């Protein structure tokens, strides 16, 4: 056996979004059912380099009934892997390198053989978009056609790509202080959507809003969103980050991906630490909704139209979980193996 090396282009080519969404949905299901193992994310702080390393291992066992039959993940599967990722804020200016770089090792859980080494940065973007899509599918109004995005960086592209796979998105409003980034975003998607620049409030009054910024002072308030807007709060991934005003969070139905991560580094971490927002203000975890233990918005998968489910403004607090990385890595590896692309090499020297 050989290990498959998959660079950023390979990950992009093989991470077909519908399959990644289904795999991430399966990961949430396995985690909720207790069929996943995910130790807490560990950090190595390097203040001397103004950076840190983070390790994210996971194993998951997804049942056949929890994945879509029409996708490559439809037979039930298990998978294991670890993502090694950094945040070095001085990289762009001092070393002409990205701030964040990730490497994913995807392994056979039965033998521990390293099946693939993948670019983890592109993988992260894909699985982050997929997580927002899963939440949107269960929490946004079924007939949603408009999407607002605050923050026109790299994550914004996969937010639109993924959410458009679960809702019939027609209108897109993007807001960012960097006009050049907004123009690039509009140029990229104008052939597929009615996409335009707009204010935060204009973006927030869409049926769906994704926030993908690194801010620590909230930029979206209660008056900036519509009566039934679903918000994917994707930007907060470290202590102190905070995109949505406390008043907005307290008035909304808040759904999280993982209690420990969200309360320490997710969108709710600041008001939670201050005691402004408590466990009583959290509706539940997304896995509970996916498996049907809590209702989503009426008319969405698993929640009948006449059910007493989520109403008004909803918020999905996404911190990004290792189970999502492993699920997405499996999609990429299986597809690359099927199409015979990537670069196979004898990492362990077993071909002799």
């Amino acid at each position: 056996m050989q290990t498959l090396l998959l660079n950023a282009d390979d990950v992009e080519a093989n991470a077909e979004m519908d399959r990644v969404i289904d795999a991430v949905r399966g990961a949430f299901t396995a985690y909720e059912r207790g069929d996943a193992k995910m130790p807490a994310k560990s950090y190595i702080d390097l203040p001397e380099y103004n950076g840190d390393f983070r390790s994210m291992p996971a194993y998951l066992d997804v049942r056949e009934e929890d994945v879509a039959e029409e996708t490559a993940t439809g037979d039930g599967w298990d998978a294991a892997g670890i993502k090694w990722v950094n945040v070095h804020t001085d990289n762009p200016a001092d070393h002409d390198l990205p701030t964040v770089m990730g490497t994913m090792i995807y392994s056979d859980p039965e033998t521990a053989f390293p099946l693939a080494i993948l670019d983890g940065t592109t993988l992260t973007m894909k699985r982050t978009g997929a997580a927002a899509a899963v939440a949107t599918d269960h929490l946004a109004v079924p007939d949603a056609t408009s999407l607002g995005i605050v923050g026109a960086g790299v994550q914004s592209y996969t937010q639109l790509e993924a959410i458009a796979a679960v809702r019939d998105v027609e209108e897109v409003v993007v807001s960012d202080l960097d006009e050049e980034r907004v123009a690039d975003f509009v140029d990229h998607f104008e052939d597929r959507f009615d996409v335009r620049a707009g204010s935060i409030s204009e973006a927030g009054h869409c049926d769906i809003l994704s926030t993908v910024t690194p801010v620590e002072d909230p930029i979206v308030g209660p008056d900036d969103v519509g009566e039934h807007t679903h918000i994917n709060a994707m930007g907060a991934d470290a202590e102190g980050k905070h995109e949505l005003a406390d008043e907005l969070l307290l008035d909304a139905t808040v759904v999280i991906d993982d209690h420990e991560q969200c309360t320490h580094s997710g969108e709710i971490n600041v008001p939670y630490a201050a005691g402004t927002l408590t466990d009583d203000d959290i509706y539940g975890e997304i896995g509970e909704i996916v498996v049907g233990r809590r209702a989503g918005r009426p008319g969405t998968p698993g929640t009948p139209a006449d059910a007493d489910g989520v109403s008004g403004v909803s918020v999905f607090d996404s911190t990004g979980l290792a189970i999502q990385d492993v699920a997405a890595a499996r999609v990429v590896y299986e597809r690359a193996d099927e199409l015979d692309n990537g670069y196979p090499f004898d990492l362990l020297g077993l071909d002799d």
Side-chain angles (χ1 to χ4, degrees), residues 183-200:
D184 289 342
F185 183 92
V186 172
D187 288 344
H188 187 83
F189 288 110
E190 62 182 355
D191 291 339
R192 296 174 52 194
F193 304 96
D194 176 13
V195 56
R196 64 179 177 85
S199 66
I200 288 176

Side-chain angles (χ1 to χ4, degrees), residues 61-334:
D61 183 5
V62 179
R63 302 177 187 178
E64 182 175 356
E65 61 266 30
D66 292 330
V67 291
E69 293 181 358
E70 66 270 18
T71 71
T73 61
D75 295 329
W77 47 272
D78 67 345
I82 182 169
K83 186 171 74 174
W84 179 245
V85 62
N86 75 293
V87 178
H88 281 58
T89 56
D90 296 337
N91 269 1
D94 294 351
H95 305 288
D96 195 27
L97 287 170
T99 300
V100 178
M101 295 175 285
T103 301
M104 184 78 194
I105 301 174
Y106 177 69
S107 302
D108 182 340
E110 181 178 2
T111 66
F113 186 86
L115 297 170
I117 299 175
L118 307 83
D119 167 55
T121 305
T122 305
L123 189 77
T124 299
M125 290 190 292
K126 294 292 185 177
R127 62 83 152 147
T128 302
V134 173
T136 298
D137 204 21
H138 289 272
L139 295 171
V141 292
D143 59 352
T145 59
S146 58
L147 169 64
I149 300 177
V150 177
V154 293
Q155 289 281 3
S156 63
Y157 291 76
T158 48
Q159 287 294 302
L160 176 48
E161 177 190 1
I163 290 169
V166 298
R167 288 294 185 273
D168 186 16
V169 175
E170 299 173 0
E171 178 188 4
V172 181
V173 181
V174 59
S175 180
D176 195 299
L177 295 176
D178 189 326
E179 295 181 359
E180 184 176 350
R181 292 205 302 185
V182 171
D184 289 342
F185 183 92
V186 172
D187 288 344
H188 187 83
F189 288 110
E190 62 182 355
D191 291 339
R192 296 174 52 194
F193 304 96
D194 176 13
V195 56
R196 64 179 177 85
S199 66
I200 288 176
S201 183
E202 288 175 297
H205 278 82
C206 292
D207 298 319
I208 307 159
L209 172 67
S210 286
T211 59
V212 281
T213 74
V215 299
E216 296 188 358
D217 294 318
I219 55 175
V220 182
D223 295 335
D224 293 320
V225 299
E227 293 182 357
H228 61 231
T229 301
H230 167 65
I231 306 169
N232 297 303
M234 315 302 290
D237 61 354
E239 184 178 353
K241 290 187 177 182
H242 192 18
E243 297 182 292
L244 310 181
D246 292 352
E247 297 83 1
L248 173 56
L249 290 169
L250 289 169
D251 288 342
T253 299
V254 176
V255 176
I256 60 179
D257 61 6
D258 177 75
H259 187 275
E260 181 176 358
Q261 285 197 188
C262 286
T263 55
H264 287 85
S265 59
E267 177 57 36
I268 65 173
N269 84 90
V270 174
Y272 192 89
T276 304
L277 183 146
T278 70
D279 287 343
D280 291 338
D281 301 305
I282 300 172
Y283 180 70
E285 295 189 358
I286 186 64
E288 295 178 274
I289 296 175
V290 170
V291 303
R293 291 174 179 165
R294 288 188 185 275
R297 197 175 292 265
T300 61
T303 304
D306 58 354
D308 184 17
V310 172
S311 61
V313 175
S314 56
V315 173
F316 174 51
D317 181 357
S318 173
T319 56
L321 305 179
I323 54 171
Q324 300 167 14
D325 295 308
V326 172
R330 181 186 184 276
V331 171
V332 173
Y333 170 74
E334 293 290 332

